[in-house]
């Protein structure tokens, strides 16, 4: 055997890799059970590597560099569910026990990588991520380093930070650096192992909950702040630094923006973290989301010289835990007799009514507003059934590309002036293909309603003539004043404009 291979063999470090990923909207009624994880993203044991190798995910990123770093990854699991309500106790316990079981099976390990969201709330565990991380840590040999990753929307806490030796957060929203952060986490774990020391951590928590609509990392005000973060990370003495902008739809004590700097010396880490925290705090007023009341939004869209004009129903963001059946904009479009407008609603019951009417038949039934009483009332809709098929397609474009999207049974109702597309599975409008797949040409519309905060932009902006964010009710409303928070640790901006940031 060549000497090099022999050295490699002995230098291999055994690294346990596992993770849970859920952005929990505590205002959303449906609970998130184990089936929700298994239906979206679930792989365990060797299947973990088969599923994520070559993907732009944390596990995929870690896998892509592991061999070069002489890290031998030992599979736990990865479980991710679409943002939704509280994770059930049974689901959380099962995921933790399965992970710990895999860790025990893995035999002796030298370290661990744990991929988290950071805004997971389970029944009985407000800080599910921190609890999960601490449990994995307890299962590791004393002194074995643990590196964790988290989403840009994490609600970081001192407990989460303390449970890992080092943490790496996404730097982009929309998120496209999961693979890069997974690779970075693996490289930093390798550095912890080879240098045998730990960086100093400086964590700052701001009493500030900006709406996700204003957290886009390529747009002001965040783009300038992320540039400062990158400049800090370029310093030799900084290991890594992150800003978690928070997920505001969680009524928990640790809600808010977190800043984390990890550097050689505590005094330097503290100074840099204070700089970032001070800058974010001083700019907090710039995070006010532009929102129009629904009547004004529809009037402006109808008066636009050219279409399509996008009406963003952020509050009913199907990708953030909302049902996607909100009717407030549809009702206003009908009331104002809008023309060439299209609305997509998740509504299995209305599809049954469309089936009864049949293709080409007369539809006359209530649509939307059925999942809960937070997203408007059901709207009586009359029109012709112009499309009635099961729809499944592969996502094009450059975001979540190639993902198979299953809309289930789809019915399209042509009402006077407004086309309503009904789906039996929720449509996450990250693309225009979901409209085309049901025979609707997006370019030909005057008004398109999207149930999304910002994910729609990559696909619709190339041809949309204008965009209006509508102040609608719902569990993802940008207007946080619509929510009754009861468990916050103290005053938080912008809910309380007089909230103060007390350093330290
Ligand atoms: Zn996120």
């Amino acid at each position: 055997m060549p000497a090099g291979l022999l050295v490699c063999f002995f230098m291999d470090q055994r690294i346990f890799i596992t993770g849970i990923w859920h952005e929990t909207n505590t205002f959303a009624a449906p609970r998130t059970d184990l089936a929700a994880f298994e239906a979206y993203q679930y792989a365990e044991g060797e299947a973990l590597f088969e599923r994520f190798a070559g993907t732009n995910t944390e596990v995929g990123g870690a896998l892509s560099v592991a061999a070069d770093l002489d890290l031998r990854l030992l599979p736990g699991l990865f479980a991710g569910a679409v943002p939704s309500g509280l994770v059930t106790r049974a689901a959380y316990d099962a995921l933790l026990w399965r992970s710990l079981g895999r860790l025990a099976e893995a035999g002796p390990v030298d370290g661990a990588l744990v991929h988290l969201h950071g805004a997971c709330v389970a029944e009985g565990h407000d800080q599910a991520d921190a609890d999960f991380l601490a449990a994995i840590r307890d299962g590791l040999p004393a002194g074995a380093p643990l590196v964790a990753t988290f989403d840009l929307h994490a609600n970081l806490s001192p407990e989460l930070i303390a449970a890992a030796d080092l943490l790496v957060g996404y730097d982009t929203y929309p998120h496209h650096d999961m693979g890069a952060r997974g690779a970075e986490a693996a490289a930093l774990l390798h550095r912890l192992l080879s240098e045998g020391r730990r960086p100093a951590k400086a964590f700052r928590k701001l009493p500030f909950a900006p709406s996700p609509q204003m957290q886009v990392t390529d747009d002001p005000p965040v783009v300038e702040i992320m540039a400062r973060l990158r400049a800090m990370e370029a310093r030799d003495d900084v290991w890594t630094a992150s800003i978690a902008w928070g997920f505001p739809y969680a009524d928990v004590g640790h809600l808010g923006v977190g800043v984390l700097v990890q550097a050689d010396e505590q005094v330097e880490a503290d100074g840099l973290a204070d700089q970032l925290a001070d800058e974010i705090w001083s700019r907090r007023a710039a995070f006010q989301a532009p929102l129009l009341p629904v009547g004004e939004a529809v009037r402006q869209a109808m008066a636009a010289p050219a279409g399509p004009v996008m009406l963003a129903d952020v509050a009913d963001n199907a990708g953030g835990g909302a049902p996607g059946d909100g009717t407030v904009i549809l009702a206003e479009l009908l009331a104002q007799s809008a023309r060439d407008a299209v609305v997509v609603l998740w509504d299995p019951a209305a599809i049954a009514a469309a089936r009864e009417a049949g293709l080409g038949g007369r539809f006359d039934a209530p649509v939307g507003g059925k999942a809960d009483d937070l997203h408007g009332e059901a709207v009586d809709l009359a029109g012709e059934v112009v499309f009635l098929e099961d729809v499944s397609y592969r996502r094009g474009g450059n975001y979540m590309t190639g993902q198979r999207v299953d809309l289930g049974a789809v019915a399209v109702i042509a009402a006077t002036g407004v086309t309503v597309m009904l789906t039996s599975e929720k449509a996450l409008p990250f693309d225009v293909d979901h409209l085309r797949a049901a025979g609707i040409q997006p370019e030909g519309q005057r008004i398109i309603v999207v149930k999304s905060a910002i994910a729609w932009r990559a696909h619709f902006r190339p041809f949309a003539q204008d965009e209006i964010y509508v102040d609608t009710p719902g569990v993802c409303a940008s207007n946080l004043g619509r929510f009754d928070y009861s468990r916050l640790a103290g005053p938080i901006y912008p809910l309380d404009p007089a909230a103060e940031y007390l350093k330290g």
Side-chain angles (χ1 to χ4, degrees):
M1 183 182 283
L5 279 182
L6 197 67
V7 170
C8 272
F9 177 78
F10 285 114
M11 283 176 64
D12 253 10
Q13 305 270 9
R14 296 169 54 83
I15 305 302
F16 181 64
I17 180 168
T18 199
I20 56 168
W21 191 97
H22 190 252
E23 186 175 83
T24 308
N25 188 320
T26 66
F27 298 104
R31 293 286 198 266
T32 306
D33 58 12
L34 199 53
F37 286 92
E38 287 168 349
Y40 184 58
Q41 283 191 341
Y42 189 89
E44 186 179 345
E46 286 302 323
L48 181 70
F49 301 149
E50 285 155 30
R51 166 127 191 195
F52 291 109
T55 63
N56 182 13
T57 60
E58 295 91 319
V59 176
L63 275 172
S64 71
V65 296
D68 283 347
L69 296 169
D70 297 325
L71 301 179
R72 183 173 162 208
L73 298 183
L74 306 164
L77 57 80
F78 186 84
V82 174
S84 45
L86 275 180
V87 175
T88 65
R89 182 92 193 212
Y92 174 74
D93 285 348
L95 296 175
L96 178 57
W97 291 338
R98 288 178 193 179
S99 272
L100 291 172
R102 290 280 171 184
L103 176 57
E105 276 172 29
V109 301
D110 300 301
L113 287 171
V114 181
H115 301 301
L116 301 168
H117 185 288
C120 180
V121 186
E123 292 168 344
H125 290 294
D126 272 8
Q127 294 199 38
D129 302 277
D131 183 82
F132 186 89
L133 198 55
I136 299 294
R137 146 130 282 158
D138 288 347
L140 296 176
L146 188 162
V147 174
T149 58
F150 58 84
D151 189 284
L152 180 130
H153 295 112
N155 289 314
L156 295 181
S157 67
E159 291 83 355
L160 183 76
I161 305 301
D165 294 288
L166 191 147
L167 301 97
V168 180
Y170 303 172
D171 293 329
T172 58
Y173 177 51
H175 312 313
H176 49 74
D177 65 335
M178 291 101 116
R181 298 289 77 77
E184 183 185 3
L188 288 168
L189 179 61
H190 178 260
R191 185 173 169 192
L192 290 170
L193 286 160
S194 52
E195 296 188 14
R197 64 188 177 114
R198 306 284 188 267
K201 291 185 223 155
F203 176 54
R204 300 291 181 271
K205 188 78 186 177
L206 292 157
F208 176 33
S211 135
Q213 191 187 325
M214 298 305 292
Q215 296 180 5
V216 178
T217 49
D218 284 338
D219 287 355
V222 172
V223 66
E224 294 95 359
I225 298 167
M226 296 311 280
R228 290 200 60 179
L229 178 82
R230 275 195 300 279
M232 287 179 186
E233 284 192 298
R235 291 170 50 134
D236 283 344
D237 63 336
V238 173
W239 291 49
T240 187
S242 305
I243 300 170
W245 291 94
F247 184 66
Y249 312 116
D251 188 11
V252 290
H254 57 291
L255 170 62
V257 175
V259 171
L260 178 63
V261 177
Q262 293 155 108
D264 286 340
E265 303 296 337
Q266 190 67 52
V267 63
E268 301 295 340
D270 283 334
L272 295 173
D274 281 333
Q275 280 180 37
L276 280 175
D278 289 346
E279 173 156 1
I280 294 167
W281 186 245
S282 70
R283 291 185 177 219
R284 64 192 181 281
F287 285 78
Q288 177 81 39
L291 292 170
L292 280 187
V294 64
E296 180 58 24
V298 169
R299 259 189 299 283
Q300 277 194 21
M302 289 172 63
V309 175
M310 308 300 296
L311 292 182
D313 190 358
V314 176
D316 190 26
N317 177 2
D325 78 339
T327 53
V328 173
I329 299 178
L330 171 62
E332 190 66 26
L333 289 167
L334 292 168
Q336 294 195 31
S337 303
R339 312 289 304 179
D340 300 320
V342 60
V343 180
V344 181
L345 296 176
W346 170 61
D347 193 339
I351 286 175
R355 278 214 178 98
E356 236 163 74
L359 186 62
R362 180 86 186 153
F363 178 94
D364 197 344
V367 296
K370 299 188 177 89
D372 55 37
D373 53 6
L374 303 171
H375 299 82
E377 294 178 358
V379 168
D380 289 324
L381 188 75
E384 185 190 343
V385 181
V386 295
F387 181 95
L388 189 59
E389 278 176 37
D390 287 353
V391 169
S392 170
Y393 66 93
R394 208 169 275 285
R395 188 164 268 154
N398 55 10
Y399 186 62
M400 305 239 178
T401 315
Q403 204 177 48
R404 165 71 49 196
V405 182
D406 184 12
L407 297 179
V410 171
V412 177
I413 313 299
T416 309
V418 181
T419 299
V420 179
M421 174 174 163
L422 304 164
T423 66
S424 64
E425 301 290 336
K426 278 187 209 179
L428 304 184
F430 296 154
D431 56 54
V432 291
D433 303 327
H434 69 287
L435 295 175
R436 292 197 183 110
I440 298 169
Q441 291 313 316
E443 293 86 349
Q445 307 299 321
R446 289 194 59 84
I447 298 173
I448 298 175
V449 178
V450 278
K451 293 178 178 294
S452 163
I454 61 144
W456 58 273
R457 290 179 179 176
H459 283 262
F460 288 92
R461 269 190 174 167
F463 62 89
Q465 301 298 307
D466 202 357
E467 55 194 56
I468 299 171
Y469 295 85
V470 190
D471 187 6
T472 51
V475 297
C476 293
S478 282
N479 175 2
L480 299 186
R482 288 181 174 275
F483 299 97
D484 286 326
Y485 293 90
S486 63
R487 306 178 62 208
L488 302 179
I492 195 163
Y493 186 89
L495 293 164
D496 184 344
E500 284 184 74
Y501 169 45
L502 304 170
K503 287 184 195 176

